[in-house]
Amino acid sequence: MTEQQRPTDPQPASGRHEEAGRLGGGARTDVFEVFRQEKDGDPMRHAGNVVAPDVELATHYAREMYSRRQESVRLWVVPRSQVTDLSDPDLLQPPLDRSFKKPGGYVMRDKLEQARQRAKDEKDGQGTS
Amino acid sequence: MTDPLALAPVLAPDERPTPVFADPDLTPDERYAAFVEHVHAGLKVEARDWMPDEYRTSVLRFVEMHANSELMGVLPEREWIMRAPTLKRKLALTAKVQDEVGHAQLLYRVAEDLGKPREQMFADLLDGKTKFHNVFHYPTKSWGDVGIIAWLVDAAAIVAQQALRESSYGPYSRTMKKICWEESVHIMHGRDVVVTMMNGSQKQRDMVQEALDRWWGPLMQMHGPRSDPAKDRDLYWRIKEKSSEQLRQEFLSTYVPRLWEIGLFPPDPELRLDEETGEWRYSEPDWQELRTVVTNNGPMSQERLEFRRLNYEQTAWVRQTILAAPAAAA
Amino acid sequence: MTGPARRPTRQLLAPDVPDFDRRQLPPNVRDALAGLLLAMADDEFVIGFWDSEWTGIAPLLEEDVAFSSLAQDEIGHARAWYEMLAVLAGETADRLAFGREPAQYRHARLLDHPRTDWAFSIARRWLYDTADSVRLGALARSAFEPLAEVVAKVRREERYHLMHVDVWLRRLAAHAGEPRQRLERALEVLAPDALTVFTPLPGEWLLVESGVMSETNEQLAERWRAEVGGLLEELGLPALPADRPPAGGRNGHADSESFSWLWGEFTAVHRLEEGVTW
């Protein structure tokens, strides 16, 4: 591909602040992403992609590539251009502490032991009187 | 050290730096070093990431050859789909070959997302500019070949493919997991065909041994000559994880005992396990033959490429009309 | 090794076919049914072979995988019909499929044609799948339950075939120029043989009388013509020939050069040695 043929971005890529964009490189306009569900109750997971002139044939091909062994109970077929990609680390992995949002931020083993011991001592104290 | 930004990229990447190199203050050398560190730490590279030119071209070349091999690998077995002698074998063989086509699709997609359209890859394959694995340049002469290929060629391939599941290039590593899962069924089918024949008539047993006699040489050449790991760039970039010799040893240690135990004997008098070192010893494979074959001078190379070319031309009208991608939206 | 040898149950060989006893049917109905099953099995077997030739060389990789599935499904259906026939005939499915001379095959002449080109394969598949669909419809509520059971499963698989081939037929017809021209040429060549799927079978009136089949082949041909006529008209394609299905439509395959070649291929290994297991 020559310089002239590069797909034009809405803004030039500028480190971490560029817009979410297309998946992968290349200039194919006929790629469809396929998501599959392995069994009832499972989430949809990205499985791969197929090339097709339109969504009708893409659906047939998705069935072949991702369920010809009866390995899926559901498929989603989405034109690649319809998928918005977000991978900006500032948005997804901001650097300051966020442990207050996670279970691991609430380790209270020592405190609990202290509280239990105190309660036990109190109870024992009452018992002897 | 190469300054990757000084080179015009071979393929125009969709430049989206990963967090590691996101800092616009990094110099090109620092960015390159951070990338190497990322890959050596066992982390993945995705299609959208910035990558050094050498990495991109190395991955593309590796994946493209793999894709080509799946596509060309269809041909030796395809003619036997028509000759499968039972309903069950016909179903199994058609399904197996279908899987190979499916693998070609998966791999060409990975390569396409690195920027090279499949039409260009097909053209380069047919022009002899890119290669495919040695084993697919040989004729299949009997039903015995069908069993030996499905079992041993697929086994040798899966030994390599299992190691590739850890490839640094994310899309390739994930694709390899799907491929390995599908290939395991092929090996079982192949072994079933071989064992059934070994339990059959003398004529059937002779057919299998004769096929093994012809295929052993190419099989031993398949993983390539021993290379110096320090000089192997595909190892450096963690595109692949194991050396040629490691793969060959793995193949031998699993499959030679399985051949011997059913009375099949690879035609190599030197073949044995060295108890002291735990390594298999074998006659030096014919590396000249390998070089000759992969440069498209094998017994079936030209015929198969010509067959592909002919069929591709005959179906061009479909691609140019009904299968053509719609014009990109304004 | 001691102990009784394990007899492979039909469950392992063809789990889709329910167990039944040939004596469930009166002998004359049984013979007529055997004729029907042979016709259906040979149809599916032969088209499965022709279409599997596209494996590896179809116009697009994704389409290659899809078309190969259609071929495999047909072989799977053939297997089911041969398995049922095996019970009636006291034979094995493989011997039935691989063990006859070309003249003894009973597939429709429509299926003697080689795959030729993509438009031809699509056209022939469309003609066959739509005809087969009508035929299966006549067996869906068969008084012979094991047959109805298998037909129900086959019909569910055939839904995808009909969808896929319909998509292709419409696109070929709608695209002026080479696609349309090739389609028209293909249909021209295939038209004389189109109705052979409905060649009357010996004793078929017994099948209708006993409720095994709901209509005769001639009636099914009419039904088919009506069903596909609408689409052909919509697409501006010539209507199917108005003749009755030819009496010899399932015979004479030894005279077909393409089928003789195909037979040579699919029996090649089988003929190497009698009585061995592959």
Side-chain angles (χ1 to χ4, degrees), chain A residues 6 9 13 15-16 18-19 22-26 28-31 49-51 53 61 64-66 68-69 71 80 85 87 89, chain B residues 10 12-17 19 22 47-48 98-99 102 105-106 109 112-113 115 118-119 178 181-182 322-326 328:
Chain A
R6 286 170 75 139
D9 287 323
R16 294 173 285 177
E18 70 276 17
E19 284 180 30
R22 292 177 297 278
L23 288 166
R28 286 207 88 109
T29 56
D30 53 352
V31 181
N49 41 67
V50 296
V51 157
Y61 298 154
E64 288 302 326
M65 294 304 298
Y66 298 102
R68 67 178 182 274
R69 284 181 174 71
E71 67 261 42
R80 175 172 277 184
D85 174 68
S87 56
Chain B
V10 172
D14 215 0
E15 287 191 53
R16 246 160 266 290
R48 303 177 311 282
Q98 179 190 41
D99 281 351
Q105 192 272 355
L106 296 171
R109 284 266 63 249
E112 280 188 311
D113 284 347
R118 64 177 71 172
E119 292 79 11
K178 179 168 161 78
W181 181 71
E182 296 185 351
I322 294 166
L323 292 170

Side-chain angles (χ1 to χ4, degrees), chain C residues 78-154:
Chain C
R79 180 165 74 159
W81 304 139
Y82 284 129
E83 286 289 345
M84 290 193 76
L85 182 56
V87 174
L88 297 181
E91 259 294 0
T92 70
D94 279 331
R95 267 205 295 276
L96 287 167
F98 294 90
R100 287 171 285 149
E101 294 295 312
Q104 294 170 299
Y105 282 78
R106 291 286 167 266
H107 54 281
R109 219 169 34 226
L110 173 67
L111 307 171
D112 273 339
H113 299 270
R115 74 185 153 88
T116 316
D117 73 1
W118 187 251
F120 195 95
S121 285
I122 292 294
R124 192 256 296 279
R125 175 159 272 289
W126 179 78
L127 288 168
Y128 177 72
D129 276 341
T130 49
D132 185 43
S133 173
V134 169
R135 177 171 61 189
L136 290 172
L139 300 170
R141 278 163 302 279
S142 179
F144 187 47
E145 260 177 55
L147 181 60
E149 258 183 68
V150 180
V151 166
K153 289 185 194 173
V154 171

